[in-house]
Amino acid sequence: MCQHQPLCPSADSPDREAAHLVAHFPEQGWSLLCNGVLLFEDTGELLPDGRVIAPHRPQGAGQITTAV
């Protein structure tokens, strides 16, 4: 699927999220990568073979801390 040089990581690769964007729909909360992975804004993923990768945000992401 990927036409980039060097080739983007495959959908089975641990760094699959580094592939180039093919389509981006932030208002709907998803993006399609050139390796066929659907990447969701909650960090979940749908792989081309139908496997689901659960959201994997780092703990504490998005929390605001205030200095005391």
Side-chain angles (χ1 to χ4, degrees):
M1 190 183 272
C2 178
Q3 302 291 321
H4 300 106
Q5 291 299 325
L7 292 176
C8 290
S10 71
D12 292 325
S13 177
D15 61 345
R16 65 182 150 260
E17 296 172 13
H20 285 86
L21 285 173
V22 173
H24 181 59
F25 294 93
E27 67 281 0
Q28 296 177 3
W30 64 272
S31 299
L32 176 64
L33 304 179
C34 72
N35 57 7
V37 173
L38 277 174
L39 183 62
F40 297 96
E41 70 179 15
D42 69 354
T43 69
E45 301 171 21
L46 180 60
L47 303 184
D49 63 4
R51 286 182 291 154
V52 174
I53 306 297
H56 49 278
R57 270 192 191 134
Q59 288 197 341
Q63 292 181 353
I64 299 173
T65 57
T66 55
V68 236

